[in-house]
């Protein structure tokens, strides 16, 4: 048996009220702006270069400063060749770039009108590791969940993920913020929703407007018009703008105001009740903090957006990219360019693209988007179709929902977990891990029950790349008390699964008591020692056919979703074998044994209570199984008949209809 540990943390969420959604349509003005093609390319290069400089500068500070800023006396390293050093020693640092690159690559291969599935599959199957909303979305996509970024399916929907990946949308839409928003609507909802999506829309709009203005105040305020005024994201950024005017020379005072008003984490289970804040809006606020107080100075912008803390590599990355567009590649100060040089031809890990490649590809995409939106491309200049920003639709994650309690269970090797909540929702944090890393990754399954009703079964890969980020969650329960139970299926190497129920030994050692949560809950008794002894004796008396039959019956149960407990299967098989004439026959008779067992179950399917092995009590049949048994019996008869005729293909397929693809082996 493979044993896989699980570590769980519970976040209980209380739902208060619902909300409404509205939408706005894209509008473009007839205003145009002319610039040279060389200037356009210079600005695109500045955007990618500034982004790379920013993430590299903040590399060693990311989430090391939570709920505090980095003091002025603490130096942040930067020197010649710094970016190349990091690309060699720490390639996974550049997740906010190689995610961009994935989407750029799809646009290049499939075209500007590539369907959303192309982008979703590209990043879900990529070789790089992901976190938060991106990882939750990857799992959803690979498991067929279409709304992979929606907060009901992704507890991290408000996180920063798309905000750090939206640079490409703005870089390919110079002066066209609404066109950038359209791309963000398609791609950003793959992993985010609400504030998480707005972060990408806003960043993309700032990139877009940085092509046509050298006024940071204008870029920040005009881009905000793409965000619905009713949203908390809009309120947060507008407050930063207000506080900047109130405290024009003191960015730390504005930082403190942000802490007072916007540091509460509501959605992300990792950030609830702790200083960690990966929410999009407050990290977007730190981008704006750097831009406004930096006021076009690249060094001040880098310093402030990094020293604000939290996601302090991604925030200066966005700020540096936006400022890089405004200034242009040629105007980025030499102090910063010295750290970048030597790395521009180097391919980012997990991709086939370098910065030099990106410069050319994004320039080509920008020219295509200019023409697509009514602009004109000449030999040496372009006429940009300037768009007046319009707000995207209103949407909000976790509306009326807030965390009530966070409880660490510190549990490992969980087979069954049961707890009660008083509220409307919960999140269970945890993971499936390998104990023996010399063995390959595996997948376990677990079932979620709410108030004794089966809700879902989920897969939990031990692979870090394909992990399910949160075990189970639900935000829409009726307000009140609920019982939550998770049952882990233990999978053996042949694919058979066993459900495990917790039990407690009596003080005198004579048996165990175990919980039954039905009908309000009560305790039952069992003596597994006696049952096991009797069962093993009967197994030996039947040429070890009893245990084989139980395992095969479980395969049938799992394959056809037959509502039977494991102990009911064991009891039926034990009683069947007591008087079965072929009980001691060799394995060659197993087709007959299977057929006759299904007929036995069918003939006795109305029986409510079955004697356990050893007469230690009875087990109740709670669900209707007659039709399941009849189907299995009929199919077994067909398989035996086809086998006798030599129709091996039909024989194999018919048995697999009963037992699944592992039984029998072809």
């Amino acid at each position: 048996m493979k044993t896989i540990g699980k570590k769980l943390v519970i976040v209980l969420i209380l739902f208060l009220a619902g909300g409404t959604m509205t939408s706005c349509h894209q509008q473009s003005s007839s205003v145009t702006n002319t610039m040279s093609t060389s200037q356009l390319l210079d600005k695109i290069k500045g955007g990618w270069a500034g982004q790379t400089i920013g993430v590299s500068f903040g590399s060693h500070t990311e989430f090391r400063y939570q709920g505090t800023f980095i003091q002025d006396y603490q130096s942040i390293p930067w020197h010649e060749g710094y970016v190349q050093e990091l690309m060699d020693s720490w390639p996974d640092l550049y997740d906010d770039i190689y995610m961009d690159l994935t989407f750029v690559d799809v646009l290049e291969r499939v075209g500007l009108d590539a369907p959303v599935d192309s982008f979703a599959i590209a990043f879900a199957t990529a070789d790089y590791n992901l976190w938060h909303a991106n990882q939750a979305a990857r799992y959803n996509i690979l498991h067929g969940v279409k709304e992979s970024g929606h907060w009901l399916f992704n507890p991290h929907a408000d996180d920063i993920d798309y905000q750090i990946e939206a640079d490409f949308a703005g870089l390919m839409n110079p002066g066209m913020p609404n066109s950038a928003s359209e791309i963000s609507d398609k791609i950003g909802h793959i992993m985010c929703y609400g504030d998480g999506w707005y972060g990408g829309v806003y960043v993309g709009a700032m990139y877009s407007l940085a092509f046509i203005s050298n006024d940071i105040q204008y870029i920040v305020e005009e881009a905000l018009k793409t965000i619905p005024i009713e949203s908390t994201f809009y309120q947060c950024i507008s407050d930063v703008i207000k506080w900047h005017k109130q405290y024009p020379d003191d960015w730390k005072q504005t930082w403190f105001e942000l802490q007072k008003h916007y540091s509460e984490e509501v959605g992300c289970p990792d950030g609830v009740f702790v200083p960690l804040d990966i929410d999009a809006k407050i990290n977007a606020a730190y981008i704006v903090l750097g831009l406004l107080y930096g006021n076009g100075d690249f060094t001040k912008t880098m310093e402030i957006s990094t020293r604000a803390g939290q996601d302090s590599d991604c925030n200066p990355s966005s700020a540096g990219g936006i400022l890089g567009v405004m200034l242009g590649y040629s105007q980025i100060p030499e102090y910063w360019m010295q750290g970048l040089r030597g790395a521009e031809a180097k391919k980012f890990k997990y991709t086939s693209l370098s910065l030099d490649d990106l410069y050319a590809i994004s320039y080509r995409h920008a020219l295509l988007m200019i023409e697509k939106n009514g602009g004109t491309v000449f030999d040496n200049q372009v006429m940009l179709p300037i768009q007046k920003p319009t707000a995207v639709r209103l949407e909000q994650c976790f509306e009326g929902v807030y965390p009530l309690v966070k409880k660490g269970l510190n549990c490992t090797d969980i087979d069954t977990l049961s707890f009660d909540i008083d509220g409307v929702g919960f999140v269970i944090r945890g993971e499936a891990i390998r104990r023996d890393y010399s063995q390959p990754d595996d997948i376990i399954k677990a079932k979620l029950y709410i108030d004794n009703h089966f809700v879902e079964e989920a897969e939990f890969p031990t692979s870090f790349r394909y992990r399910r980020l949160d075990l189970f969650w639900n935000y829409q329960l009726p307000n009140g008390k609920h019982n939550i139970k998770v049952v882990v299926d233990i999978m053996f190497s042949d694919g058979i699964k066993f459900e495990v129920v917790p039990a407690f030994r009596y003080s005198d050692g004579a048996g165990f008591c175990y919980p039954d949560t039905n009908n309000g809950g009560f305790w039952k008794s069992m003596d597994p020692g006696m049952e096991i002894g009797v069962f093993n004796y009967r197994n030996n008396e039947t040429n070890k056919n009893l245990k084989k039959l139980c395992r095969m019956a479980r395969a049938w149960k799992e394959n056809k979703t037959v509502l039977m407990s494991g102990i009911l299967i064991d009891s039926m098989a034990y009683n069947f074998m007591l008087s079965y004439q072929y009980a001691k026959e060799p394995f060659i008779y197993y087709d007959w044994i299977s057929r006759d067992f299904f007929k036995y179950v069918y003939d006795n399917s109305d029986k409510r209570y079955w004697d356990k092995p050893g007469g230690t009590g009875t087990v109740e049949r709670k669900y209707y199984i007659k039709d399941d048994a009849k189907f299995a019996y009929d199919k077994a008869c067909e398989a035996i008949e086809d086998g006798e005729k030599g129709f091996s293909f039909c024989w194999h397929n018919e048995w697999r209809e009963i037992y699944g693809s592992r039984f029998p082996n072809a």
Side-chain angles (χ1 to χ4, degrees), residues 66 74 123 171 353 365 378 453 512 545:
Q66 303 171 14
Q74 294 176 268
F123 100 88
L171 285 166
L353 299 175
H365 290 173
F378 302 101
H453 297 290
F512 294 79
N545 285 330

Side-chain angles (χ1 to χ4, degrees), residues 39 41-55 57 78 83 171 207 214 296-302 316-341 344 355 359:
Q39 186 181 11
L41 177 59
D42 188 59
K43 286 180 174 293
I44 289 172
K45 289 176 63 176
W48 284 114
Q51 182 186 1
T52 307
I53 289 170
V55 67
F57 180 62
W78 188 259
V83 175
L171 285 166
Y207 267 98
N214 291 322
D297 185 292
F298 199 92
T299 297
K300 288 180 65 177
T301 300
M302 287 292 96
S317 181
S318 297
I322 293 163
L323 194 57
V325 172
M326 191 188 86
L327 297 174
Y329 180 89
S330 58
Q331 296 303 310
I332 295 175
E334 173 59 25
Y335 172 78
W336 295 100
M337 291 302 298
Q338 66 163 339
L340 179 64
R341 290 198 180 94
E344 291 170 285
L355 281 174
Y359 300 156

Side-chain angles (χ1 to χ4, degrees), residues 46 83 168 215 222 253 286 297 350 358 378 408 439 448 507 542 573 639:
V83 175
F168 77 99
D215 184 345
E222 194 72 3
Q253 186 59 51
Y286 293 158
D297 185 292
Y350 311 113
L358 285 171
F378 302 101
Q439 298 298 314
L448 173 67
S507 58
T542 58

